[in-house]
Amino acid sequence: CYTFLNWTEGGTVVSSTASYTFAASANRTLVANFSQTTYTIATSSSPAAGGTTTGGGVKNCGTSVTVTATANAGYSFLNWTEGATVVSSTATYTFTASANRTLVANFTQIPTYTITTSSSPTTGGTTTGGGSVLSGSNVTVTATAAACYTFLNWTEGGTVVSSTASYTFAASANRTLVANFSQTTYTI
């Protein structure tokens, strides 16, 4: 982790070669000067919108280096690569500095699903909680009955999926949910 710089005597460079030959004609105090080797650790994200990386820069040879990848919203960390080789599958990657390195943090976009809600009949009430959501996220859709109506159930493609007005599920596909209401009747 060090390279030879030069030989000095009294602060003056007397040779720039590691082997210094001279004729002995007086007492001499020679100093061999060395410099520590440094390496550049470059990090980047692919795609750039996928996330950020930290921990790169100029590092001394032999030191422990930790690079960290942080995914942006809508993305998840996939792996660290160098060239075409996967070097780590964990977002925090630690190694010993022994060469210049160019590391790429790879991210993958998390799929989004569309949750569509509607009321049947349309005058029966309102629904909330639909929209575009990330895969795996918990979604809660809520049905609120209008005056003179009662909530019955949530259906999808004609099949009952919940009998509670507030229905929670993990997003794993596009869904079209219908909140069914019945009109309240009175016997006089």
Side-chain angles (χ1 to χ4, degrees):
C1 287
Y2 286 85
T3 54
F4 173 78
L5 288 177
N6 53 37
W7 287 98
T8 57
E9 185 172 22
T12 303
V13 175
V14 293
S15 177
S16 294
T17 59
S19 293
Y20 174 42
T21 305
F22 57 92
S25 60
N27 293 331
R28 297 189 71 178
T29 303
L30 299 172
V31 177
N33 297 290
F34 299 89
S35 69
Q36 188 167 23
T37 304
T38 59
Y39 296 111
T40 300
I41 310 301
T43 62
S44 62
S45 300
S46 178
T52 58
T53 61
T54 58
V58 177
K59 307 294 181 180
N60 288 333
C61 173
T63 59
S64 180
V65 178
T66 299
V67 292
T68 304
T70 305
N72 287 336
Y75 289 85
S76 64
F77 173 78
L78 186 61
N79 57 31
W80 284 99
T81 54
E82 186 167 21
T85 304
V86 174
V87 294
S88 178
S89 294
T90 59
T92 300
Y93 172 42
T94 301
F95 57 92
T96 301
S98 60
N100 292 328
R101 298 193 69 180
T102 302
L103 301 170
V104 177
N106 297 290
F107 299 93
T108 184
Q109 193 165 18
I110 299 171
T112 58
Y113 297 113
T114 301
I115 310 301
T116 305
T117 61
S118 62
S119 300
S120 177
T122 55
T123 57
T126 59
T127 61
T128 59
S132 181
V133 296
L134 294 177
S135 175
S137 61
N138 282 332
V139 178
T140 300
V141 291
T142 305
T144 305
C148 297
Y149 284 88
T150 304
F151 171 78
L152 291 175
N153 54 34
W154 285 99
T155 57
E156 185 170 23
T159 302
V160 175
V161 293
S162 178
S163 295
T164 59
S166 187
Y167 171 43
T168 301
F169 56 92
S172 59
N174 293 329
R175 298 198 61 185
T176 302
L177 302 169
V178 177
N180 297 289
F181 301 93
S182 68
Q183 191 165 21
T184 307
T185 59
Y186 300 101
T187 302
I188 306 295

